[in-house]
Amino acid sequence: YFFWDEVAWLTFNWLQVKEASYTRLCSTKNMLTVNGQFPGPTIYAKKGETIIVDVYNRGKENVTIHWHGVTMPRYPWTDGPEYITQCPIQPGSKFTQKIILSTEEGTLWWHAHSDWTRATVHGAIIIYPKNGTKYPFHKPNAEVPIILGEWWKRDVNEVRDEGLATGADPNSSDALLINGQPGDLYPCSKSGTFKLTVDHGKTYLLRIINAALHEALFFAIAKHKMTVVGTDGSYTKPLTRDYITIFPGQTFDVLLEANQRPDHYYMAAITYSVAPKYQDFYDNTTTTAIVQYRGYYTPSSPPSLPDLPAYNDTDASVQVMAGLRSLADAEHPCDVPLSTNTNLFYTVSMNSYPCVNNSCGGANGTRFSSSINNISFDFPTIDILEAYYYNISGVYGNNFPSFPPLVFDFTYDYLPLVYQLPSTGTEVRVLEYNSTVEIVLQDTAVLAETHHPMHLHGYSFYVVGWGFGNFDENRDPLRYNLVDPPFQNTISVPSKGWVAIRFEASNPGVWFLHCHVERHLTWGMETAFIVKNGKHPEAQMLPPPSDMPPC
Ligand SMILES: *[C@@H]1O[C@H](CO)[C@@H](O)[C@H](O)[C@H]1NC(C)=O
Ligand SMILES: *[C@@H]1O[C@H](CO)[C@@H](O)[C@H](O)[C@H]1NC(C)=O
Ligand SMILES: *[C@@H]1O[C@H](CO)[C@@H](O)[C@H](O)[C@H]1NC(C)=O
Ligand SMILES: *[C@@H]1O[C@H](CO)[C@@H](O)[C@H](O)[C@H]1NC(C)=O
Ligand SMILES: *[C@@H]1O[C@H](CO)[C@@H](O)[C@H](O)[C@H]1NC(C)=O
Ligand SMILES: *[C@@H]1O[C@H](CO)[C@@H](O)[C@H](O)[C@H]1NC(C)=O
Ligand SMILES: *[C@@H]1O[C@H](CO)[C@@H](O)[C@H](O)[C@H]1NC(C)=O
Ligand SMILES: *[C@@H]1O[C@H](CO)[C@@H](O)[C@H](O)[C@H]1NC(C)=O
Ligand SMILES: *[C@@H]1O[C@H](CO)[C@@H](O)[C@H](O)[C@H]1NC(C)=O
Ligand SMILES: *[C@@H]1O[C@H](CO)[C@@H](O)[C@H](O)[C@H]1NC(C)=O
Ligand SMILES: [Cu+2]
């Protein structure tokens, strides 16, 4: 069970979702923001605390808010994914949400979880060690959130709607962002560029979040190395790198030592994209911010840019993943299940639906779709959690398959075209309380291979193995890391590869599993788990709050 050995009840004022006017790239638009800020306000907490947030919707569209990476022990009610654990907070309404922290420590984030509203509705959650405990590294001189995002000149809903109407890939963003700013390589963006002032000899903890809707990002700082010390709200063994790859949904805590000649240096991010066969859209721009040393000197102009891998360098994209290890020490034990009793094999695929006269905008005139185990998820109109709790039938089915319906050479380049058509459904998988679960997530080359950052709600999981090609159930488990695997909530299934994750299903509730590339989620690459209650009262879901938003 989960025990809260220190519960402090904090009230984090409120989050007010509303429209505000913002100017970037020489043009102005109205967009949804939170408390008038973009990115939204940072929530600060200590490990184990419970935070109460009053969420007001003062906008014109439905929204929900999700606490990304918070496991919410026994309390899925305010987890946030629309039509999975709640109905949307409708314009003019309020929902009081609890953020229940337990084992998380480090950097997480919050974001809207309804349509594409999270493009502008997001912010950081910073979780400090509790009183009497410390960071497992030297205390940094300062801490800085670095929130990476995407900017469209147009309203993001128009971009989404156009993509859905034509069946094509929606337009890629017009700019990438660091802390809400594109940086001075873009037109009209010089004055707003984010600047981090540093003192020579000091150490800075960068809390980096990839809040982009679609793009995986390479991130680096010119002439400086970064030491990864945590990811997804969990510490790691120090890992020093020239660049990191951060997939949508992930966070990295990195230490930056200001140990270079006093000058101005760019930090920069570009998209990692394998530019699959039928998708040549990606944001190919470079966002920058400036690390400026304090002191008297003439800065280089322009500052030097960091070396970043080529946009399509898949080997480079897995280098951080390959080196990540959890701390696995006495204070931060590793509880990876050494054996599992529930073994699931999920294929993640891009798909397409045929269109009359090949009239759609996707591959060969088709309409894009995507699936897990060949099921493209259809959202219900009542949330699954309430349907489960109140025994409302006809909302979802519990027949999500444990294995793909058809086993083939998943990563073969010339698969039959008939494999592209998925089936459609609202299917979930029921897990027994306390079952030990392994999921192998396998990318396929159906339609087009690409990476898929898969995010699980309600749990962090141990990433015990990964590789390229087809998963081999005899050979690959022998290479699993069962000693110090990283503990994450979002893991990228490599393009034409697989990843294996393990967790113990000790958190009852309804928990979403989905690709964090937003258009893939829109196209159906998601499903949910229902984790049953255990026998003991402390192994059971808590009752719902009285103000659940109605459908
Ligand atoms: C933790 O420490 C802070 C500052 O030292 C103090 O204000 C707070 O009351 C302490 N909290 C607990 C739960 O001891
Ligand atoms: C998408 O891009 C095309 C081509 O640049 C443009 O004509 C269209 O207006 C864009 N649509 C949206 C919604 O941004
Ligand atoms: C980026 O993509 C656009 C079209 O989407 C293209 O016109 C431009 O040349 C590309 N820029 C670079 C640097 O590749
Ligand atoms: C990356 O793209 C370049 C062209 O932009 C191409 O020449 C190269 O073969 C690609 N590399 C890989 C690994 O696909
Ligand atoms: C499909 O194409 C045929 C032949 O050009 C045409 O007769 C028919 O009306 C088209 N159907 C639709 C729905 O556009
Ligand atoms: C697209 O059409 C071409 C030519 O008809 C065909 O060779 C190719 O396999 C098709 N691809 C898909 C994804 O349908
Ligand atoms: C739902 O059904 C279960 C088992 O049939 C029962 O124990 C439970 O009380 C029912 N819940 C409600 C809210 O009706
Ligand atoms: C997926 O389901 C569709 C519809 O049932 C079926 O036609 C297709 O063969 C299936 N594809 C695979 C790869 O399982
Ligand atoms: C859950 O599983 C653990 C072993 O992983 C076991 O020690 C514990 O007793 C189980 N709890 C319940 C309530 O079944
Ligand atoms: C907003 O949510 C309500 C309740 O689920 C739903 O009836 C309505 O259609 C939604 N509005 C939009 C624009 O999706
Ligand atoms: Cu995806």
Side-chain angles (χ1 to χ4, degrees):
Y1 334 117
F2 287 93
F3 291 106
W4 307 325
D5 39 14
E6 180 192 354
V7 178
W9 295 88
L10 297 182
T11 300
F12 176 81
N13 312 327
W14 37 264
L15 294 179
Q16 183 168 191
V17 180
K18 62 178 183 190
E19 288 217 346
S21 173
Y22 272 74
T23 303
R24 300 283 185 273
L25 309 177
C26 323
S27 73
T28 300
K29 70 170 183 185
N30 276 345
M31 61 186 215
L32 279 185
T33 60
V34 172
N35 298 3
Q37 288 169 247
F38 175 68
T42 299
I43 295 178
Y44 297 92
K46 284 188 185 156
K47 184 180 177 180
E49 289 180 341
T50 291
I51 302 152
I52 296 173
V53 184
D54 287 339
V55 179
Y56 296 88
N57 185 357
R58 300 271 187 257
K60 292 190 212 107
E61 53 200 304
N62 290 342
V63 293
T64 65
I65 303 285
H66 167 56
W67 322 103
H68 182 114
V70 179
T71 61
M72 308 287 284
R74 305 164 54 202
Y75 199 74
W77 301 104
T78 61
D79 184 47
E82 184 178 61
Y83 299 122
I84 303 297
T85 61
Q86 69 170 84
C87 294
I89 308 169
Q90 296 182 41
S93 311
K94 174 192 149 191
F95 184 32
T96 299
Q97 295 188 238
K98 272 187 204 171
I99 313 174
I100 304 177
L101 298 173
S102 52
T103 57
E104 306 86 355
E105 186 172 322
T107 307
L108 295 175
W109 60 300
W110 55 268
H111 62 79
H113 215 304
S114 39
D115 281 334
W116 286 19
T117 44
R118 79 172 175 86
T120 56
V121 175
H122 59 249
I125 303 177
I126 293 181
I127 307 157
Y128 294 115
K130 64 172 119 185
N131 286 5
T133 69
K134 293 189 295 205
Y135 293 129
F137 44 83
H138 282 296
K139 193 172 188 300
N141 297 95
E143 305 191 4
V144 191
I146 300 286
I147 303 179
L148 306 173
E150 277 180 275
W151 182 269
W152 280 262
K153 289 182 188 167
R154 297 278 290 272
D155 182 321
V156 74
N157 291 328
E158 287 173 25
V159 176
R160 179 206 59 203
D161 292 347
E162 185 183 71
L164 289 177
T166 63
D169 245 332
N171 286 2
S172 55
S173 46
D174 298 302
L176 302 172
L177 305 171
I178 296 177
N179 287 346
Q181 294 289 345
D184 58 17
L185 302 183
Y186 293 83
C188 312
S189 298
K190 194 171 179 71
S191 63
T193 299
F194 175 72
K195 296 192 177 72
L196 169 62
T197 303
V198 300
D199 287 310
H200 191 274
K202 293 196 168 164
T203 302
Y204 298 82
L205 175 59
L206 308 187
R207 298 176 176 274
I208 309 171
I209 297 166
N210 186 345
L213 270 195
H214 308 303
E215 308 290 27
L217 299 166
F218 289 126
F219 174 88
I221 302 170
K223 305 279 198 297
H224 292 77
K225 288 185 184 300
M226 294 178 286
T227 300
V228 176
V229 292
T231 183
D232 286 6
S234 176
Y235 295 118
T236 63
K237 294 194 169 81
L239 178 69
T240 301
R241 286 286 185 268
D242 291 324
Y243 65 88
I244 60 167
T245 316
I246 181 165
F247 291 87
Q250 293 183 329
T251 74
F252 279 102
D253 286 356
V254 311
L255 294 175
L256 164 69
E257 277 183 59
N259 57 6
Q260 296 299 305
R261 185 168 54 80
D263 201 345
H264 287 189
Y265 299 90
Y266 273 134
M267 59 172 87
I270 61 167
T271 298
Y272 158 60
S273 168
V274 289
K277 279 175 282 189
Y278 297 103
Q279 184 224 330
D280 35 28
F281 281 142
Y282 67 96
D283 186 325
N284 61 6
T285 60
T286 304
T287 179
T288 55
I290 295 171
V291 176
Q292 53 185 20
Y293 281 69
R294 218 187 295 272
Y296 298 99
Y297 57 89
T298 307
S300 309
S301 181
S304 53
L305 273 166
D307 291 326
L308 285 161
Y311 77 95
N312 57 355
D313 190 340
T314 293
D315 288 337
S317 80
V318 295
Q319 285 312 307
V320 173
M321 171 172 177
L324 275 187
R325 303 284 181 271
S326 62
L327 267 186
D329 62 17
E331 277 170 60
H332 309 87
C334 168
D335 295 321
V336 60
L338 298 179
S339 63
T340 53
N341 57 25
T342 305
N343 296 303
L344 308 174
F345 187 89
Y346 284 9
T347 52
V348 289
S349 300
M350 302 296 293
N351 301 91
S352 68
Y353 294 116
C355 293
V356 178
N357 289 352
N358 295 334
S359 58
C360 292
N364 275 4
T366 63
R367 163 182 304 282
F368 281 116
S369 173
S370 58
S371 66
I372 303 178
N373 277 353
N374 200 42
I375 300 181
S376 185
F377 189 82
D378 224 3
F379 277 90
T381 49
I382 300 174
D383 61 285
I384 293 175
L385 176 58
E386 286 176 275
Y388 168 60
Y389 193 77
Y390 296 110
N391 297 332
I392 303 166
S393 63
V395 175
Y396 64 89
N398 52 19
N399 290 314
F400 193 86
S402 304
F403 293 92
L406 201 62
V407 173
F408 52 93
D409 180 354
F410 300 113
T411 54
Y412 184 56
D413 275 319
Y414 305 98
L415 292 170
L417 294 180
V418 291
Y419 286 5
Q420 289 178 17
L421 180 73
S423 64
T424 311
T426 310
E427 295 295 333
V428 308
R429 180 67 161 76
V430 177
L431 295 172
E432 293 301 324
Y433 177 77
N434 221 12
S435 50
T436 44
V437 184
E438 173 172 307
I439 313 176
V440 175
L441 295 156
Q442 170 77 57
D443 182 40
T444 78
V446 170
L447 188 64
E449 68 274 11
T450 185
H451 53 272
H452 297 289
M454 300 301 291
H455 172 51
L456 178 61
H457 292 217
Y459 293 88
S460 280
F461 45 73
Y462 290 97
V463 181
V464 295
W466 66 275
F468 289 113
N470 295 318
F471 175 72
D472 181 330
E473 63 177 346
N474 297 315
R475 198 191 57 205
D476 289 321
L478 302 176
R479 299 188 292 120
Y480 280 176
N481 176 2
L482 299 177
V483 177
D484 55 2
F487 195 49
Q488 296 180 256
N489 62 55
T490 307
I491 187 67
S492 177
V493 182
S495 185
K496 277 192 174 178
W498 57 272
V499 64
I501 63 174
R502 287 188 177 185
F503 61 96
E504 192 180 83
S506 50
N507 188 14
V510 173
W511 306 112
F512 204 22
L513 171 70
H514 65 95
C515 182
H516 223 279
V517 170
E518 199 66 24
R519 62 184 190 283
H520 297 175
L521 170 60
T522 303
W523 290 334
M525 191 175 281
E526 61 265 9
T527 179
F529 290 107
I530 292 179
V531 179
K532 295 201 325 206
N533 281 334
K535 289 206 175 63
H536 197 281
E538 284 179 54
Q540 297 176 0
M541 258 170 62
L542 296 164
S546 58
D547 63 342
M548 285 301 288
C551 268

